[in-house]
Amino acid sequence: MTWTWKLEDADGNAIETPDSDLGSQGDAESWLGERWREFADQGASTAVLLEDGKTIYRMPLTPAEE
């Protein structure tokens, strides 16, 4: 199984995503957790987790409100 991320802008358009072929869901989530602010600064507003090309879930790339 291959876990990857797809990044989208606010309009839902795919934007360039660095290679993220990872071996487990946990690895994929950790990978994004270390980089999501950088991606958000580059215009990404949503991250989509894929398992072998199938969407598992979508999540916004916004900081939690305090």
Side-chain angles (χ1 to χ4, degrees):
M1 294 183 183
T2 301
W3 295 82
T4 57
W5 288 100
K6 178 174 79 170
L7 301 175
E8 298 176 345
D9 65 16
D11 295 324
N13 300 309
I15 61 174
E16 185 176 340
T17 306
D19 289 336
S20 63
D21 293 341
L22 301 155
S24 72
Q25 183 173 352
D27 289 345
E29 290 168 341
S30 293
W31 183 91
L32 184 68
E34 295 170 0
R35 296 166 177 82
W36 73 270
R37 284 182 179 85
E38 174 186 337
F39 298 147
D41 288 346
Q42 295 171 358
S45 64
T46 303
V48 182
L49 180 61
L50 306 167
E51 178 187 19
D52 295 330
K54 177 184 173 196
T55 298
I56 301 302
Y57 66 82
R58 307 168 62 82
M59 64 182 226
L61 296 180
T62 55
E65 293 184 27
E66 295 183 24

